[in-house]
Amino acid sequence: ETGVTQTPRHLVMGMTNKKSLKCEQHLGHNAMYWYKQSAKKPLELMFVYSLEERVENNSVPSRFSPECPNSSHLFLHLHTLQPEDSALYLCASSQAAGEVGGYTFGSGTRLTVV
Amino acid sequence: AQSVTQLGSHVSVSEGALVLLRCNYSSSVPPYLFWYVQYPNQGLQLLLKYTSAATLVKGINGFEAEFKKSETSFHLTKPSAHMSDAAEYFCAVSEGSGGYQKVTFGTGTKLQVIP
């Protein structure tokens, strides 16, 4: 399978639940990203992993916890979320900085917090 | 610091008409520039990219963009709109940073194609 795959595509969770979003890439990329896309807001960069090391955390609340066990997989662990966390969560991957090919995005997980 | 400004959050064109989506950038270094397209409930898909080779860049689905350094612009065009072009389009600028690509996205322009 090629490209970036995100699962699940849709997720409804209560505020007390714990769930995880999964992202997988088979492109040989060595950087992976989590973005949040809310209605009427610009894309928000949440986390960046380069060579499995977290290199950027854009003031994201601790109820979001990323994990990158290897260069092909990225997780976003969710717990005690708020309704305002409902959004489309996008995973992307890319080559290192020296090869500017842009990002490859997954199809996203549509998260609804009830 | 880099930034991108997309003029017009919504653009409507008739089917068969010219599509013009505007993007201006700011970058302290020679920029890498991109256009992405997003269909409903999908991720973003790369349309085209400028990486300092030819200033006129051709992408998928008949789109192209021209890099104009003097105007700090990277507008996206398509000669004849098709119904399937209805989507949201994002302009983006990138610079390398510490082993990964730091991409800044514009706020997006929704393209409506009227039959």
Side-chain angles (χ1 to χ4, degrees):
Chain A
E1 187 176 349
T2 59
V4 178
T5 303
Q6 288 187 247
T7 54
R9 289 296 310 275
H10 301 272
L11 178 62
V12 178
M13 59 186 289
M15 290 190 285
T16 58
N17 291 160
K18 289 185 180 181
K19 296 286 184 183
S20 296
L21 310 185
K22 180 182 177 182
C23 177
E24 189 172 355
Q25 61 96 3
H26 298 283
L27 301 167
H29 289 167
N30 48 29
M32 296 186 78
Y33 312 77
W34 279 117
Y35 277 87
K36 177 183 178 183
Q37 187 176 36
S38 305
K40 300 181 181 179
K41 282 185 164 184
L43 278 160
E44 299 174 55
L45 177 64
M46 300 176 73
F47 300 104
V48 181
Y49 277 82
S50 175
L51 298 173
E52 301 154 40
E53 180 181 342
R54 191 190 310 180
V55 295
E56 193 154 333
N57 174 350
N58 277 355
S59 303
V60 179
S62 59
R63 58 185 182 270
F64 295 91
S65 175
E67 179 190 2
C68 187
N70 55 61
S71 59
S72 298
H73 294 87
L74 183 66
F75 295 89
L76 188 62
H77 304 300
L78 316 171
H79 64 97
T80 59
L81 294 191
Q82 305 297 312
E84 61 263 30
D85 297 322
S86 299
L88 182 67
Y89 287 84
L90 293 167
C91 174
S93 68
S94 76
Q95 296 283 16
E99 301 177 40
V100 188
Y103 291 170
T104 301
F105 280 89
S107 296
T109 295
R110 174 68 63 186
L111 173 67
T112 304
V113 181
V114 298
Chain B
Q2 56 187 19
S3 66
V4 169
T5 302
Q6 289 184 243
L7 298 175
S9 59
H10 289 81
V11 170
S12 293
V13 300
S14 298
E15 190 175 16
L18 171 72
V19 175
L20 171 61
L21 304 181
R22 299 178 185 275
C23 172
N24 288 87
Y25 70 90
S26 171
S27 176
S28 57
V29 298
Y32 299 110
L33 295 160
F34 307 85
W35 276 99
Y36 288 85
V37 60
Q38 185 179 31
Y39 299 101
N41 294 312
Q42 294 290 321
L44 280 69
Q45 179 184 2
L46 183 65
L47 265 182
L48 50 80
K49 62 183 178 185
Y50 167 77
T51 56
S52 76
T55 56
L56 183 62
V57 181
K58 294 186 184 299
I60 61 172
N61 302 338
F63 284 93
E64 61 183 36
E66 186 172 7
F67 172 69
K68 291 188 176 181
K69 185 177 179 181
S70 60
E71 299 177 8
T72 60
S73 68
F74 190 58
H75 302 330
L76 182 70
T77 60
K78 182 174 180 177
S80 176
H82 192 272
M83 295 300 295
S84 61
D85 295 327
E88 189 161 17
Y89 293 79
F90 293 88
C91 183
V93 60
S94 171
E95 58 186 39
S97 173
Y100 65 98
Q101 297 177 28
K102 187 159 187 167
V103 178
T104 301
F105 289 89
T107 50
T109 298
K110 283 191 177 175
L111 175 67
Q112 179 186 21
V113 182
I114 303 165

